[in-house]
Amino acid sequence: MSMMENTKMSEDELKQIAGGNYGGGGGQWAAAMVKAPGGLCKYTKSGKAFVKNAGIFIPNGEYITVDRGRMEGKYAIAFYNNEEGWVDTSGLEWI
């Protein structure tokens, strides 16, 4: 089993997170790989601004699921290890 197959979310898991903590509909799911050398940090949305949280949320080289239906500028909701958070999509390679 490839790393990507191992990290794919099942249809049931996707249904459970549809809308997630940040609201929204069924989502426009897209696969991506983290290409940022230091990995991706999680961001918190504060009004119209995004504030970077300390620590790495997703390490470099990981395959993740991103909801392109919930993008604001260069930020989007990403799912990793049963968590969701805003990430900077410039650190992703879309698959």
Side-chain angles (χ1 to χ4, degrees):
M1 179 179 295
S2 74
M3 180 183 270
M4 185 168 175
E5 290 171 333
N6 192 30
T7 59
K8 282 185 182 178
M9 297 182 116
S10 71
E11 193 63 35
D12 287 339
E13 289 173 313
L14 287 174
K15 286 178 185 173
Q16 288 175 3
I17 60 172
N21 294 329
Y22 300 99
Q28 296 175 6
W29 314 116
M33 183 181 81
V34 177
K35 68 173 186 173
L40 293 178
C41 293
K42 189 186 281 189
Y43 286 79
T44 303
K45 186 176 176 194
S46 177
K48 293 189 181 236
F50 288 86
V51 179
K52 187 179 194 178
N53 296 341
I56 300 300
F57 174 43
I58 309 169
N60 181 37
E62 289 292 317
Y63 290 92
I64 62 172
T65 304
V66 178
D67 185 351
R68 293 185 86 159
R70 292 190 284 165
M71 287 186 73
E72 291 194 27
K74 66 178 185 173
Y75 300 96
I77 295 294
F79 301 94
Y80 181 72
N81 279 348
N82 296 320
E83 290 187 53
E84 68 179 21
W86 291 99
V87 296
D88 182 342
T89 59
S90 61
L92 297 175
E93 179 179 322
W94 300 104
I95 301 173

